[in-house]
Amino acid sequence: MKTNLMRLTRGVGVAVWVLLSITGARATVIYNNSTNDLVTRFAWGGNELGDEIILAGTDRYLTDFSFEFYGTNTASPISFAGTPEACVKFYLNDGSPFNGYSTPSSNFFDSGWFSIGGPTARSTMLFTTADFGAGGLYMPVYSNFTWSVQFRNL
């Protein structure tokens, strides 16, 4: 189940934590961007937003993934006009090259649409083994993949 953690954190505008499990008792951090807040906010315009993640090590079972987001409503600070939802996807970078780099193409995870609640200055969306399965989500990648989030009904 997606858990919307309403907590203030210092650090990132979009933070991504990826933990992969070697065994059920031990996890290895293979990507952590929780200290690089570039104080950059994106006007998403209804499109998918995301970034490439270059993984460390060889572990490839995803057990935890999180990112921060914000949403405001100048007409009402406590609610949106619609029922806001988000969808998170992971892609292999196996598409046509652009400027010499492979682009995202094949999707290997799609969360489906889920509720994100009301306006927030900063919240963290957390995915766990409840979302990926008891053993974690196998990521069929060698060193990198692209993640994205899309919002609707804001």
Side-chain angles (χ1 to χ4, degrees):
M1 172 180 215
K2 288 91 185 154
T3 307
N4 183 2
L5 300 176
M6 302 293 285
R7 64 181 171 108
L8 292 177
T9 57
R10 51 184 208 115
V12 293
V14 174
V16 180
W17 293 68
V18 179
L19 299 170
L20 294 178
S21 174
I22 296 173
T23 67
R26 186 177 130 198
T28 302
V29 176
I30 60 166
Y31 183 84
N32 180 350
N33 186 27
S34 62
T35 60
N36 296 313
D37 189 350
L38 301 177
V39 192
T40 302
R41 306 300 180 249
F42 298 101
W44 62 279
N47 298 313
E48 286 185 76
L49 298 174
D51 202 359
E52 179 180 32
I53 294 177
I54 300 172
L55 304 171
T58 58
D59 298 323
R60 294 296 180 265
Y61 282 90
L62 182 66
T63 59
D64 296 281
F65 179 86
S66 67
F67 65 94
E68 288 186 348
F69 67 97
Y70 80 99
T72 59
N73 182 358
T74 56
S76 171
I78 59 170
S79 66
F80 287 117
T83 304
E85 297 177 308
C87 180
V88 172
K89 295 180 181 179
F90 300 153
Y91 295 95
L92 297 175
N93 292 331
D94 59 353
S96 302
F98 179 76
N99 288 338
Y101 295 96
S102 295
T103 58
S105 181
S106 300
N107 177 276
F108 68 93
F109 175 77
D110 184 333
S111 69
W113 293 100
F114 57 90
S115 176
I116 61 169
T120 177
R122 184 176 283 192
S123 292
T124 301
M125 187 61 58
L126 174 64
F127 291 82
T128 66
T129 54
D131 303 296
F132 301 131
L137 172 70
Y138 175 70
M139 298 189 307
V141 299
Y142 171 69
S143 65
N144 60 338
F145 70 100
T146 297
W147 78 279
S148 72
V149 62
Q150 186 173 12
F151 298 94
R152 71 179 182 186
N153 300 329
L154 298 175

